[in-house]
Amino acid sequence: MKKVNVSTKKMGDFAGKWVVIDPVKDKIIAVGESLQEIGPLVTRPADDKRPAGTVPFSHKVPRKGEGPYVLWITKL
């Protein structure tokens, strides 16, 4: 994982990578090869009371010509 501080307008620079986005600052704050790599930055305890729109989230940036990715998570 690499920590960065880049505007989301430069998201295309990270095609094929997982990014962590800070919705408050509208910035990419980290980049990784896998979701597991950036997972610690986007997970939080169930009792965290922060509103959902203020918590960093992950997104895989599509490569040119690819459609959007859909992440399906099931509870085991």
Side-chain angles (χ1 to χ4, degrees):
M1 172 179 54
K2 179 180 177 184
K3 292 195 176 188
V4 296
N5 186 19
V6 180
S7 170
T8 55
K9 293 177 183 177
K10 303 241 183 203
M11 196 170 305
D13 295 348
F14 303 105
K17 308 274 188 196
W18 284 90
V19 295
V20 178
I21 299 172
D22 181 336
V24 174
K25 297 178 183 175
D26 196 31
K27 298 265 186 178
I28 299 168
I29 59 173
V31 180
E33 294 293 327
S34 68
L35 183 57
Q36 291 79 16
E37 192 177 348
I38 63 170
L41 296 177
V42 295
T43 56
R44 62 183 179 152
D47 61 351
D48 188 335
K49 301 296 183 202
R50 292 181 289 173
T54 63
V55 179
F57 62 93
S58 61
H59 174 73
K60 186 166 184 181
V61 182
R63 292 179 180 94
K64 188 173 183 172
E66 291 181 332
Y69 292 102
V70 176
L71 178 63
W72 188 273
I73 299 175
T74 59
K75 189 173 183 177
L76 299 176

